[in-house]
Amino acid sequence: MGESVSTLSYGSWPSPVDAALAAAHDGRPDDVAFVGDEVWWTAPRPTEGGRRTLVRRHPDGTEEPVLPAPWNVRSRVIEYGGRPWGAVQTDSGPLVVFVNFADQRLYAFTPGGGEPRPLTPLSTVGGGLRWIEPDPYPERGEVWCVLEEFTGEGPTDLRRVPVAVPLDGSAAGDRGAVRELAPERHRFVTGPRLSPDGRRAAWLAWDHPRMPWDGTELIVAEVGPEGTFQDARTLAGGPEESVAQADWAPDGTLLHVSDRTGWWNLYRDGQPLCAREEEFGGPLWKLGQRWFAPLDSGLIAVLHGRGAAVLGILDPETGEVVDAAGPWTEFAPALAAHGERVVAVGASAHSGFEVVELDARTGRARVIGAPHEDATDPAYYPQPQIRTFQGPDGREIHAHLYPPHNPGCRAPDGELPPYVIWAHGGPTSRAPLVLDLEIAYFTSRGIGVAEVNYGGSSGHGREYRNRLREQWGVVDVEDCAAVAVALAEEGTADPERLAVRGGSAGGWTSAASLAGTDVYACGTILYPILDLTGWGTGETHDFESQYLESLIGPYAEVPDRYTERSPAQHAESVTAPFLLLQGLDDVICPPVQCERFLERMAGRGVPHAYLTFEGEGHGFRRAETMVRALEAELSLYAQTFGLTPPGVPTLELSR
């Protein structure tokens, strides 16, 4: 006999996926690398204050966290960080160099050989000294990396330059002992990659107002006898060509990913290896992201696809790509190779991200670390659909649809479900199709979710990305609304119970949607941008301080556009209830943006709540924060849509 199915209204279904369960499984392994024959990576610890630890996989297959609390392996360079550690195998064991989040110093240590020891000094100027992409070279007595150095108290008073830090600790109290490898020529640089013969170095660079997905330069220099870079020259890239990654093959040829054709494709010494209308790269939001890794055999491990990134092996002589067999349908830009072994971080719609190893000789792929374990009965997991909708002017809009799903419940005949439209951050990013227990938190209770990869999202070529140029707050809002309306018109969603939700740039889209459309009954806005004039003139960090030049237009030329599109300037147009969530330590989208918006909402009688979180920055990392945020969001929908979810604290709404 099968279990009985209860008939209950959408949004009131009991679910084993509670907020604590979703929070405990937030985050993913990242920054994978080989240390000798071992595989190491960073891993999230949401229940330990949101820190990231370093994990090693021993030859017998066991995993061991290398750094106990409070060590937190994470860099703040460009605020989004990137690869915060590097290691090499020595006669005395692994030599590890990492960035500690609390003080942003570089530390070196050998597991079992005592406490980590600092390699770099502290600075009281502005945000101090920050480091990223450390590559230790014991034979040189140095670790090469990128230094981000504040020269004043303002968020844009800084410089970035490739440097060499002594491994003997002599720079721990002396900034002068840090050797700069090249003159400061560009605003942004990635970590230098040393050629196999040690004679050349390659790195990427770009300048304001470009973002790295707009245009970067691939620079190569000779490594002089003193260990400094000489005769630097640009080999690829430019204002309208984005080079996302560069690396040396074992034979000394230089590989790079460029979107010069409109798609990020792979090149060897300037020649295309696999010309396809697919992406073999992506937006460089974090320094050290890797979409390809050369193998000793001459083959190349690649991530590629349209709207998703899968793992394959490219034969550069034939242009053929053979994809890894397995359940994984999405891989993070975190590849590493050792001999013919490839390690990656993969997930699917039914499994979270896990560390995957591929043997390029046999084609065998297997999970070797952070294995997915079902946190609850997988019958409660979302069952996604890949959809393409039509927007204004007939343009395509890509989306992932997650209908309400609960094996123990059904809705009464004739009832249509509420839906929440999710707008991803970035905005030059995309929503991956992977198992997300935050989505399951809603779908298992009878609330549908639609993730919209609106115009401007990555994964579909440069033309699709460019749809958002000077159209932010227009195209993203229109595309999200078009999906919502289409779901209502086709009878999938209740037109009276639609919500919009997003964080960061998605928070902007959510707020702009509430101010500029009448599609949604309520909205959830997380750590958002709300006032373009303020955000574009000093209220954010250096990396994105001129992002609006392409998203909105040059401020000096179109200042009125900044006012016209800002939700903070149109508070009178917001009539739907909303929830505002903000980390108080956020320097990317600071709390002042929310405060200014709320000042203009005061006395208007619109139900709303504003929750702030000490110790949280841009994006929530602590389990207790995520629990509070999820439960508050569900309560907003319950109060707005007339739902009765069991066991959810009631969010107090002000007017």
Side-chain angles (χ1 to χ4, degrees), residues 6-16 380 403-412 415 417 441-448 634 643-646:
S6 300
T7 300
L8 296 169
S9 293
Y10 287 115
S12 62
W13 299 348
S15 170
Y380 289 89
H405 175 70
N406 183 312
C409 296
R410 64 180 298 274
E415 183 181 350
Y441 178 74
F442 295 104
T443 57
S444 62
R445 285 169 169 75
I447 301 173
L634 180 56
L643 314 177
T644 56

PDB file of all heavy atoms in Angstrom, residues 6-16 380 403-412 415 417 441-448 634 643-646:
ATOM      1  N   SER A   6      -2.075  13.961   0.999  1.00  0.00           N
ATOM      2  CA  SER A   6      -3.003  14.927   1.590  1.00  0.00           C
ATOM      3  C   SER A   6      -3.326  16.019   0.575  1.00  0.00           C
ATOM      4  O   SER A   6      -2.481  16.416  -0.229  1.00  0.00           O
ATOM      5  CB  SER A   6      -2.392  15.564   2.830  1.00  0.00           C
ATOM      6  OG  SER A   6      -2.082  14.582   3.808  1.00  0.00           O
ATOM      7  N   THR A   7      -4.552  16.495   0.619  1.00  0.00           N
ATOM      8  CA  THR A   7      -4.956  17.631  -0.203  1.00  0.00           C
ATOM      9  C   THR A   7      -4.911  18.886   0.653  1.00  0.00           C
ATOM     10  O   THR A   7      -5.708  19.055   1.576  1.00  0.00           O
ATOM     11  CB  THR A   7      -6.368  17.416  -0.769  1.00  0.00           C
ATOM     12  OG1 THR A   7      -6.382  16.235  -1.586  1.00  0.00           O
ATOM     13  CG2 THR A   7      -6.787  18.609  -1.615  1.00  0.00           C
ATOM     14  N   LEU A   8      -3.944  19.728   0.355  1.00  0.00           N
ATOM     15  CA  LEU A   8      -3.733  20.955   1.118  1.00  0.00           C
ATOM     16  C   LEU A   8      -3.428  22.088   0.146  1.00  0.00           C
ATOM     17  O   LEU A   8      -2.823  21.871  -0.918  1.00  0.00           O
ATOM     18  CB  LEU A   8      -2.562  20.799   2.103  1.00  0.00           C
ATOM     19  CG  LEU A   8      -2.722  19.762   3.220  1.00  0.00           C
ATOM     20  CD1 LEU A   8      -1.383  19.546   3.918  1.00  0.00           C
ATOM     21  CD2 LEU A   8      -3.778  20.211   4.215  1.00  0.00           C
ATOM     22  N   SER A   9      -3.789  23.284   0.515  1.00  0.00           N
ATOM     23  CA  SER A   9      -3.532  24.439  -0.342  1.00  0.00           C
ATOM     24  C   SER A   9      -2.034  24.638  -0.545  1.00  0.00           C
ATOM     25  O   SER A   9      -1.212  24.333   0.332  1.00  0.00           O
ATOM     26  CB  SER A   9      -4.143  25.704   0.272  1.00  0.00           C
ATOM     27  OG  SER A   9      -5.550  25.632   0.276  1.00  0.00           O
ATOM     28  N   TYR A  10      -1.701  25.156  -1.723  1.00  0.00           N
ATOM     29  CA  TYR A  10      -0.310  25.494  -1.986  1.00  0.00           C
ATOM     30  C   TYR A  10       0.221  26.424  -0.888  1.00  0.00           C
ATOM     31  O   TYR A  10      -0.483  27.307  -0.404  1.00  0.00           O
ATOM     32  CB  TYR A  10      -0.185  26.215  -3.331  1.00  0.00           C
ATOM     33  CG  TYR A  10      -0.375  25.333  -4.535  1.00  0.00           C
ATOM     34  CD1 TYR A  10      -1.453  25.531  -5.402  1.00  0.00           C
ATOM     35  CD2 TYR A  10       0.533  24.331  -4.828  1.00  0.00           C
ATOM     36  CE1 TYR A  10      -1.613  24.740  -6.531  1.00  0.00           C
ATOM     37  CE2 TYR A  10       0.375  23.524  -5.953  1.00  0.00           C
ATOM     38  CZ  TYR A  10      -0.698  23.729  -6.801  1.00  0.00           C
ATOM     39  OH  TYR A  10      -0.859  22.943  -7.910  1.00  0.00           O
ATOM     40  N   GLY A  11       1.480  26.195  -0.513  1.00  0.00           N
ATOM     41  CA  GLY A  11       2.116  27.037   0.497  1.00  0.00           C
ATOM     42  C   GLY A  11       1.901  26.567   1.905  1.00  0.00           C
ATOM     43  O   GLY A  11       2.511  27.111   2.835  1.00  0.00           O
ATOM     44  N   SER A  12       1.063  25.545   2.092  1.00  0.00           N
ATOM     45  CA  SER A  12       0.804  25.041   3.448  1.00  0.00           C
ATOM     46  C   SER A  12       1.249  23.592   3.605  1.00  0.00           C
ATOM     47  O   SER A  12       0.923  22.944   4.596  1.00  0.00           O
ATOM     48  CB  SER A  12      -0.689  25.161   3.772  1.00  0.00           C
ATOM     49  OG  SER A  12      -1.464  24.369   2.882  1.00  0.00           O
ATOM     50  N   TRP A  13       1.986  23.080   2.638  1.00  0.00           N
ATOM     51  CA  TRP A  13       2.423  21.690   2.709  1.00  0.00           C
ATOM     52  C   TRP A  13       3.522  21.523   3.763  1.00  0.00           C
ATOM     53  O   TRP A  13       4.492  22.290   3.778  1.00  0.00           O
ATOM     54  CB  TRP A  13       2.961  21.236   1.357  1.00  0.00           C
ATOM     55  CG  TRP A  13       1.963  21.297   0.234  1.00  0.00           C
ATOM     56  CD1 TRP A  13       0.623  21.488   0.334  1.00  0.00           C
ATOM     57  CD2 TRP A  13       2.267  21.170  -1.157  1.00  0.00           C
ATOM     58  NE1 TRP A  13       0.044  21.481  -0.906  1.00  0.00           N
ATOM     59  CE2 TRP A  13       1.035  21.287  -1.855  1.00  0.00           C
ATOM     60  CE3 TRP A  13       3.432  20.974  -1.890  1.00  0.00           C
ATOM     61  CZ2 TRP A  13       0.950  21.210  -3.234  1.00  0.00           C
ATOM     62  CZ3 TRP A  13       3.354  20.895  -3.276  1.00  0.00           C
ATOM     63  CH2 TRP A  13       2.129  21.004  -3.940  1.00  0.00           C
ATOM     64  N   PRO A  14       3.421  20.531   4.629  1.00  0.00           N
ATOM     65  CA  PRO A  14       4.509  20.255   5.578  1.00  0.00           C
ATOM     66  C   PRO A  14       5.715  19.688   4.829  1.00  0.00           C
ATOM     67  O   PRO A  14       5.562  18.919   3.873  1.00  0.00           O
ATOM     68  CB  PRO A  14       3.902  19.231   6.526  1.00  0.00           C
ATOM     69  CG  PRO A  14       2.800  18.581   5.754  1.00  0.00           C
ATOM     70  CD  PRO A  14       2.271  19.624   4.820  1.00  0.00           C
ATOM     71  N   SER A  15       6.917  20.091   5.264  1.00  0.00           N
ATOM     72  CA  SER A  15       8.126  19.682   4.542  1.00  0.00           C
ATOM     73  C   SER A  15       9.261  19.379   5.506  1.00  0.00           C
ATOM     74  O   SER A  15       9.433  20.080   6.515  1.00  0.00           O
ATOM     75  CB  SER A  15       8.567  20.789   3.588  1.00  0.00           C
ATOM     76  OG  SER A  15       9.850  20.521   3.060  1.00  0.00           O
ATOM     77  N   PRO A  16      10.062  18.353   5.216  1.00  0.00           N
ATOM     78  CA  PRO A  16      11.249  18.079   6.035  1.00  0.00           C
ATOM     79  C   PRO A  16      12.411  19.027   5.732  1.00  0.00           C
ATOM     80  O   PRO A  16      13.409  19.033   6.448  1.00  0.00           O
ATOM     81  CB  PRO A  16      11.608  16.645   5.645  1.00  0.00           C
ATOM     82  CG  PRO A  16      11.134  16.515   4.229  1.00  0.00           C
ATOM     83  CD  PRO A  16       9.885  17.356   4.141  1.00  0.00           C
ATOM     84  N   TYR A 380      11.634  14.922  -2.045  1.00  0.00           N
ATOM     85  CA  TYR A 380      11.218  16.307  -1.787  1.00  0.00           C
ATOM     86  C   TYR A 380      12.047  17.320  -2.581  1.00  0.00           C
ATOM     87  O   TYR A 380      11.811  18.520  -2.484  1.00  0.00           O
ATOM     88  CB  TYR A 380      11.321  16.622  -0.298  1.00  0.00           C
ATOM     89  CG  TYR A 380      10.275  15.917   0.532  1.00  0.00           C
ATOM     90  CD1 TYR A 380      10.526  14.649   1.050  1.00  0.00           C
ATOM     91  CD2 TYR A 380       9.040  16.504   0.780  1.00  0.00           C
ATOM     92  CE1 TYR A 380       9.564  13.985   1.808  1.00  0.00           C
ATOM     93  CE2 TYR A 380       8.069  15.850   1.532  1.00  0.00           C
ATOM     94  CZ  TYR A 380       8.337  14.591   2.040  1.00  0.00           C
ATOM     95  OH  TYR A 380       7.382  13.933   2.783  1.00  0.00           O
ATOM     96  N   PRO A 403       8.550  23.807 -10.345  1.00  0.00           N
ATOM     97  CA  PRO A 403       7.161  23.782  -9.878  1.00  0.00           C
ATOM     98  C   PRO A 403       7.068  23.279  -8.437  1.00  0.00           C
ATOM     99  O   PRO A 403       7.972  22.601  -7.933  1.00  0.00           O
ATOM    100  CB  PRO A 403       6.481  22.796 -10.842  1.00  0.00           C
ATOM    101  CG  PRO A 403       7.419  22.673 -12.007  1.00  0.00           C
ATOM    102  CD  PRO A 403       8.783  22.882 -11.454  1.00  0.00           C
ATOM    103  N   PRO A 404       5.983  23.588  -7.741  1.00  0.00           N
ATOM    104  CA  PRO A 404       5.766  23.021  -6.408  1.00  0.00           C
ATOM    105  C   PRO A 404       5.821  21.498  -6.478  1.00  0.00           C
ATOM    106  O   PRO A 404       5.286  20.889  -7.417  1.00  0.00           O
ATOM    107  CB  PRO A 404       4.363  23.507  -6.042  1.00  0.00           C
ATOM    108  CG  PRO A 404       4.158  24.734  -6.872  1.00  0.00           C
ATOM    109  CD  PRO A 404       4.891  24.482  -8.155  1.00  0.00           C
ATOM    110  N   HIS A 405       6.480  20.896  -5.493  1.00  0.00           N
ATOM    111  CA  HIS A 405       6.617  19.431  -5.521  1.00  0.00           C
ATOM    112  C   HIS A 405       6.766  18.895  -4.105  1.00  0.00           C
ATOM    113  O   HIS A 405       7.658  19.304  -3.359  1.00  0.00           O
ATOM    114  CB  HIS A 405       7.829  19.022  -6.353  1.00  0.00           C
ATOM    115  CG  HIS A 405       8.087  17.552  -6.318  1.00  0.00           C
ATOM    116  ND1 HIS A 405       7.271  16.628  -6.938  1.00  0.00           N
ATOM    117  CD2 HIS A 405       9.068  16.830  -5.705  1.00  0.00           C
ATOM    118  CE1 HIS A 405       7.730  15.412  -6.721  1.00  0.00           C
ATOM    119  NE2 HIS A 405       8.821  15.513  -5.983  1.00  0.00           N
ATOM    120  N   ASN A 406       5.873  17.985  -3.756  1.00  0.00           N
ATOM    121  CA  ASN A 406       5.908  17.326  -2.448  1.00  0.00           C
ATOM    122  C   ASN A 406       5.187  15.988  -2.612  1.00  0.00           C
ATOM    123  O   ASN A 406       4.012  15.963  -2.986  1.00  0.00           O
ATOM    124  CB  ASN A 406       5.211  18.205  -1.402  1.00  0.00           C
ATOM    125  CG  ASN A 406       5.276  17.635  -0.002  1.00  0.00           C
ATOM    126  OD1 ASN A 406       5.005  16.461   0.223  1.00  0.00           O
ATOM    127  ND2 ASN A 406       5.610  18.489   0.969  1.00  0.00           N
ATOM    128  N   PRO A 407       5.880  14.870  -2.375  1.00  0.00           N
ATOM    129  CA  PRO A 407       5.259  13.560  -2.637  1.00  0.00           C
ATOM    130  C   PRO A 407       4.066  13.256  -1.741  1.00  0.00           C
ATOM    131  O   PRO A 407       3.258  12.387  -2.078  1.00  0.00           O
ATOM    132  CB  PRO A 407       6.404  12.577  -2.374  1.00  0.00           C
ATOM    133  CG  PRO A 407       7.311  13.293  -1.426  1.00  0.00           C
ATOM    134  CD  PRO A 407       7.239  14.733  -1.824  1.00  0.00           C
ATOM    135  N   GLY A 408       3.951  13.990  -0.637  1.00  0.00           N
ATOM    136  CA  GLY A 408       2.863  13.712   0.282  1.00  0.00           C
ATOM    137  C   GLY A 408       1.694  14.662   0.181  1.00  0.00           C
ATOM    138  O   GLY A 408       0.731  14.548   0.948  1.00  0.00           O
ATOM    139  N   CYS A 409       1.766  15.603  -0.757  1.00  0.00           N
ATOM    140  CA  CYS A 409       0.714  16.618  -0.827  1.00  0.00           C
ATOM    141  C   CYS A 409       0.325  16.939  -2.267  1.00  0.00           C
ATOM    142  O   CYS A 409       1.132  16.823  -3.190  1.00  0.00           O
ATOM    143  CB  CYS A 409       1.177  17.916  -0.148  1.00  0.00           C
ATOM    144  SG  CYS A 409       1.503  17.772   1.615  1.00  0.00           S
ATOM    145  N   ARG A 410      -0.908  17.343  -2.410  1.00  0.00           N
ATOM    146  CA  ARG A 410      -1.412  17.894  -3.654  1.00  0.00           C
ATOM    147  C   ARG A 410      -2.324  19.052  -3.308  1.00  0.00           C
ATOM    148  O   ARG A 410      -2.814  19.163  -2.178  1.00  0.00           O
ATOM    149  CB  ARG A 410      -2.171  16.844  -4.465  1.00  0.00           C
ATOM    150  CG  ARG A 410      -3.433  16.346  -3.782  1.00  0.00           C
ATOM    151  CD  ARG A 410      -4.165  15.305  -4.614  1.00  0.00           C
ATOM    152  NE  ARG A 410      -4.610  15.825  -5.897  1.00  0.00           N
ATOM    153  CZ  ARG A 410      -5.751  16.461  -6.078  1.00  0.00           C
ATOM    154  NH1 ARG A 410      -6.577  16.692  -5.047  1.00  0.00           N
ATOM    155  NH2 ARG A 410      -6.094  16.882  -7.274  1.00  0.00           N
ATOM    156  N   ALA A 411      -2.538  19.933  -4.272  1.00  0.00           N
ATOM    157  CA  ALA A 411      -3.410  21.084  -4.043  1.00  0.00           C
ATOM    158  C   ALA A 411      -4.837  20.747  -4.456  1.00  0.00           C
ATOM    159  O   ALA A 411      -5.070  19.834  -5.251  1.00  0.00           O
ATOM    160  CB  ALA A 411      -2.902  22.279  -4.837  1.00  0.00           C
ATOM    161  N   PRO A 412      -5.806  21.459  -3.923  1.00  0.00           N
ATOM    162  CA  PRO A 412      -7.195  21.248  -4.347  1.00  0.00           C
ATOM    163  C   PRO A 412      -7.350  21.515  -5.839  1.00  0.00           C
ATOM    164  O   PRO A 412      -6.643  22.344  -6.429  1.00  0.00           O
ATOM    165  CB  PRO A 412      -7.974  22.281  -3.521  1.00  0.00           C
ATOM    166  CG  PRO A 412      -7.099  22.580  -2.355  1.00  0.00           C
ATOM    167  CD  PRO A 412      -5.695  22.470  -2.862  1.00  0.00           C
ATOM    168  N   GLU A 415      -6.909  25.066  -8.012  1.00  0.00           N
ATOM    169  CA  GLU A 415      -6.055  26.073  -7.363  1.00  0.00           C
ATOM    170  C   GLU A 415      -4.744  26.206  -8.127  1.00  0.00           C
ATOM    171  O   GLU A 415      -4.102  25.205  -8.468  1.00  0.00           O
ATOM    172  CB  GLU A 415      -5.768  25.717  -5.906  1.00  0.00           C
ATOM    173  CG  GLU A 415      -4.936  26.781  -5.199  1.00  0.00           C
ATOM    174  CD  GLU A 415      -4.618  26.434  -3.743  1.00  0.00           C
ATOM    175  OE1 GLU A 415      -5.190  25.459  -3.205  1.00  0.00           O
ATOM    176  OE2 GLU A 415      -3.786  27.149  -3.144  1.00  0.00           O
ATOM    177  N   PRO A 417      -0.774  27.676  -8.146  1.00  0.00           N
ATOM    178  CA  PRO A 417       0.232  27.922  -7.110  1.00  0.00           C
ATOM    179  C   PRO A 417       0.815  29.322  -7.172  1.00  0.00           C
ATOM    180  O   PRO A 417       0.876  29.941  -8.239  1.00  0.00           O
ATOM    181  CB  PRO A 417       1.312  26.892  -7.424  1.00  0.00           C
ATOM    182  CG  PRO A 417       1.227  26.708  -8.903  1.00  0.00           C
ATOM    183  CD  PRO A 417      -0.245  26.827  -9.237  1.00  0.00           C
ATOM    184  N   TYR A 441      13.235  24.454  -0.163  1.00  0.00           N
ATOM    185  CA  TYR A 441      12.516  24.982   1.006  1.00  0.00           C
ATOM    186  C   TYR A 441      11.160  25.542   0.586  1.00  0.00           C
ATOM    187  O   TYR A 441      10.159  25.392   1.298  1.00  0.00           O
ATOM    188  CB  TYR A 441      13.379  26.064   1.657  1.00  0.00           C
ATOM    189  CG  TYR A 441      12.775  26.749   2.855  1.00  0.00           C
ATOM    190  CD1 TYR A 441      12.694  26.107   4.083  1.00  0.00           C
ATOM    191  CD2 TYR A 441      12.292  28.056   2.769  1.00  0.00           C
ATOM    192  CE1 TYR A 441      12.162  26.743   5.198  1.00  0.00           C
ATOM    193  CE2 TYR A 441      11.755  28.706   3.865  1.00  0.00           C
ATOM    194  CZ  TYR A 441      11.700  28.043   5.086  1.00  0.00           C
ATOM    195  OH  TYR A 441      11.161  28.678   6.178  1.00  0.00           O
ATOM    196  N   PHE A 442      11.115  26.168  -0.576  1.00  0.00           N
ATOM    197  CA  PHE A 442       9.858  26.743  -1.060  1.00  0.00           C
ATOM    198  C   PHE A 442       9.033  25.747  -1.870  1.00  0.00           C
ATOM    199  O   PHE A 442       7.829  25.594  -1.646  1.00  0.00           O
ATOM    200  CB  PHE A 442      10.141  27.994  -1.892  1.00  0.00           C
ATOM    201  CG  PHE A 442      10.739  29.114  -1.080  1.00  0.00           C
ATOM    202  CD1 PHE A 442      12.090  29.414  -1.160  1.00  0.00           C
ATOM    203  CD2 PHE A 442       9.953  29.852  -0.214  1.00  0.00           C
ATOM    204  CE1 PHE A 442      12.643  30.426  -0.403  1.00  0.00           C
ATOM    205  CE2 PHE A 442      10.495  30.874   0.553  1.00  0.00           C
ATOM    206  CZ  PHE A 442      11.844  31.163   0.462  1.00  0.00           C
ATOM    207  N   THR A 443       9.661  25.045  -2.808  1.00  0.00           N
ATOM    208  CA  THR A 443       8.880  24.154  -3.673  1.00  0.00           C
ATOM    209  C   THR A 443       8.244  23.016  -2.896  1.00  0.00           C
ATOM    210  O   THR A 443       7.136  22.584  -3.223  1.00  0.00           O
ATOM    211  CB  THR A 443       9.753  23.585  -4.797  1.00  0.00           C
ATOM    212  OG1 THR A 443      10.880  22.886  -4.237  1.00  0.00           O
ATOM    213  CG2 THR A 443      10.257  24.701  -5.714  1.00  0.00           C
ATOM    214  N   SER A 444       8.922  22.526  -1.856  1.00  0.00           N
ATOM    215  CA  SER A 444       8.349  21.416  -1.085  1.00  0.00           C
ATOM    216  C   SER A 444       7.189  21.877  -0.213  1.00  0.00           C
ATOM    217  O   SER A 444       6.450  21.044   0.324  1.00  0.00           O
ATOM    218  CB  SER A 444       9.434  20.767  -0.215  1.00  0.00           C
ATOM    219  OG  SER A 444       9.954  21.687   0.728  1.00  0.00           O
ATOM    220  N   ARG A 445       7.013  23.182  -0.075  1.00  0.00           N
ATOM    221  CA  ARG A 445       5.868  23.729   0.670  1.00  0.00           C
ATOM    222  C   ARG A 445       4.736  24.171  -0.264  1.00  0.00           C
ATOM    223  O   ARG A 445       3.713  24.660   0.197  1.00  0.00           O
ATOM    224  CB  ARG A 445       6.326  24.907   1.534  1.00  0.00           C
ATOM    225  CG  ARG A 445       7.098  24.461   2.759  1.00  0.00           C
ATOM    226  CD  ARG A 445       7.790  25.609   3.481  1.00  0.00           C
ATOM    227  NE  ARG A 445       8.287  25.154   4.770  1.00  0.00           N
ATOM    228  CZ  ARG A 445       9.365  24.387   4.936  1.00  0.00           C
ATOM    229  NH1 ARG A 445      10.063  24.013   3.871  1.00  0.00           N
ATOM    230  NH2 ARG A 445       9.728  23.993   6.142  1.00  0.00           N
ATOM    231  N   GLY A 446       4.962  24.028  -1.568  1.00  0.00           N
ATOM    232  CA  GLY A 446       3.905  24.375  -2.513  1.00  0.00           C
ATOM    233  C   GLY A 446       4.040  25.744  -3.129  1.00  0.00           C
ATOM    234  O   GLY A 446       3.055  26.310  -3.608  1.00  0.00           O
ATOM    235  N   ILE A 447       5.271  26.311  -3.137  1.00  0.00           N
ATOM    236  CA  ILE A 447       5.534  27.605  -3.768  1.00  0.00           C
ATOM    237  C   ILE A 447       6.520  27.381  -4.906  1.00  0.00           C
ATOM    238  O   ILE A 447       7.625  26.878  -4.687  1.00  0.00           O
ATOM    239  CB  ILE A 447       6.110  28.620  -2.764  1.00  0.00           C
ATOM    240  CG1 ILE A 447       5.133  28.838  -1.604  1.00  0.00           C
ATOM    241  CG2 ILE A 447       6.445  29.942  -3.440  1.00  0.00           C
ATOM    242  CD1 ILE A 447       5.686  29.685  -0.478  1.00  0.00           C
ATOM    243  N   GLY A 448       6.121  27.736  -6.121  1.00  0.00           N
ATOM    244  CA  GLY A 448       7.001  27.549  -7.259  1.00  0.00           C
ATOM    245  C   GLY A 448       8.083  28.611  -7.334  1.00  0.00           C
ATOM    246  O   GLY A 448       7.939  29.722  -6.809  1.00  0.00           O
ATOM    247  N   LEU A 634       9.648  33.390   3.868  1.00  0.00           N
ATOM    248  CA  LEU A 634       8.450  32.560   3.775  1.00  0.00           C
ATOM    249  C   LEU A 634       7.269  33.217   4.482  1.00  0.00           C
ATOM    250  O   LEU A 634       6.133  33.178   3.994  1.00  0.00           O
ATOM    251  CB  LEU A 634       8.723  31.179   4.359  1.00  0.00           C
ATOM    252  CG  LEU A 634       7.553  30.189   4.333  1.00  0.00           C
ATOM    253  CD1 LEU A 634       7.012  30.000   2.931  1.00  0.00           C
ATOM    254  CD2 LEU A 634       7.968  28.845   4.940  1.00  0.00           C
ATOM    255  N   LEU A 643      -1.201  32.220   2.920  1.00  0.00           N
ATOM    256  CA  LEU A 643      -0.741  30.845   3.099  1.00  0.00           C
ATOM    257  C   LEU A 643      -0.653  30.509   4.583  1.00  0.00           C
ATOM    258  O   LEU A 643      -0.558  31.408   5.431  1.00  0.00           O
ATOM    259  CB  LEU A 643       0.635  30.654   2.450  1.00  0.00           C
ATOM    260  CG  LEU A 643       0.827  31.216   1.034  1.00  0.00           C
ATOM    261  CD1 LEU A 643       2.259  30.997   0.564  1.00  0.00           C
ATOM    262  CD2 LEU A 643      -0.153  30.573   0.069  1.00  0.00           C
ATOM    263  N   THR A 644      -0.609  29.221   4.892  1.00  0.00           N
ATOM    264  CA  THR A 644      -0.495  28.785   6.286  1.00  0.00           C
ATOM    265  C   THR A 644       0.606  27.738   6.429  1.00  0.00           C
ATOM    266  O   THR A 644       0.349  26.578   6.766  1.00  0.00           O
ATOM    267  CB  THR A 644      -1.827  28.204   6.782  1.00  0.00           C
ATOM    268  OG1 THR A 644      -2.225  27.133   5.894  1.00  0.00           O
ATOM    269  CG2 THR A 644      -2.908  29.274   6.828  1.00  0.00           C
ATOM    270  N   PRO A 645       1.874  28.120   6.183  1.00  0.00           N
ATOM    271  CA  PRO A 645       2.958  27.141   6.343  1.00  0.00           C
ATOM    272  C   PRO A 645       3.142  26.792   7.819  1.00  0.00           C
ATOM    273  O   PRO A 645       3.205  27.690   8.666  1.00  0.00           O
ATOM    274  CB  PRO A 645       4.177  27.876   5.788  1.00  0.00           C
ATOM    275  CG  PRO A 645       3.847  29.332   5.957  1.00  0.00           C
ATOM    276  CD  PRO A 645       2.372  29.441   5.773  1.00  0.00           C
ATOM    277  N   PRO A 646       3.209  25.512   8.158  1.00  0.00           N
ATOM    278  CA  PRO A 646       3.326  25.134   9.566  1.00  0.00           C
ATOM    279  C   PRO A 646       4.716  25.433  10.129  1.00  0.00           C
ATOM    280  O   PRO A 646       5.727  25.280   9.449  1.00  0.00           O
ATOM    281  CB  PRO A 646       3.053  23.630   9.548  1.00  0.00           C
ATOM    282  CG  PRO A 646       3.414  23.185   8.161  1.00  0.00           C
ATOM    283  CD  PRO A 646       3.099  24.334   7.267  1.00  0.00           C
TER     284      PRO A 646
END
